[in-house]
Amino acid sequence: MGIGCWAIGGPAFEKDGTPIGWGDVNDEDSAAGLETALEMGITLLDTSNMYGTGHSESLIGQVIKGRRDSVVLSTKFGWVFDPATRTKLGWDVSPAYIRRSLEGSLERLGTDYIEFCVFHGIT
């Protein structure tokens, strides 16, 4: 069983300032929710580099530290964003960007492998 982790990412915006995230989040509550999910048998964590422009991945990385082998990670690539402003800039599916995106996800998640990497569709 798995859970989606978009909601713990926090705010993100379109170039015009339109919100596309879940607004402000409390990291302690989000971490507690992830801990509870893992305790209840959830093993798949689905996230994206775009959820809070990487914040969801960073929080997941903190929670799974020391128990990476007990979870399955799924993340996504495709969207380009500015993490400083949490703004979506567009998309890129070039091999070079996919590689950079995955390297960023690996770093934020604190792991050296990801089980699933999915193209995040274009709207």
Side-chain angles (χ1 to χ4, degrees):
M1 290 192 303
I3 59 170
C5 298
W6 182 17
I8 67 171
F13 306 94
E14 296 280 1
K15 283 189 260 188
D16 67 2
T18 302
I20 55 173
W22 283 76
D24 292 332
V25 294
N26 179 299
D27 287 346
E28 289 179 14
D29 290 343
S30 296
L34 288 171
E35 293 282 356
T36 298
L38 295 172
E39 289 169 11
M40 294 178 70
I42 297 294
T43 56
L44 171 68
L45 302 178
D46 177 65
T47 189
S48 169
N49 68 339
M50 191 58 213
Y51 297 168
T53 61
H55 188 71
S56 174
E57 291 180 332
S58 295
L59 187 55
I60 290 167
Q62 294 169 25
V63 170
I64 67 169
K65 187 174 184 170
R67 55 182 161 179
R68 172 62 180 94
D69 59 344
S70 67
V71 298
V72 174
L73 294 175
S74 174
T75 195
K76 301 169 194 76
F77 67 91
W79 292 112
V80 179
F81 57 88
D82 177 349
T85 62
R86 292 187 172 220
T87 302
K88 181 173 75 173
L89 304 175
W91 60 276
D92 186 346
V93 292
S94 68
Y97 181 73
I98 293 169
R99 186 173 295 109
R100 282 195 315 276
S101 179
L102 289 174
E103 288 170 353
S105 291
L106 289 167
E107 183 176 332
R108 287 185 294 274
L109 289 162
T111 187
D112 59 354
Y113 66 101
I114 298 169
E115 285 84 358
F116 298 100
C117 183
V118 182
F119 169 63
H120 215 166
I122 302 165
T123 60

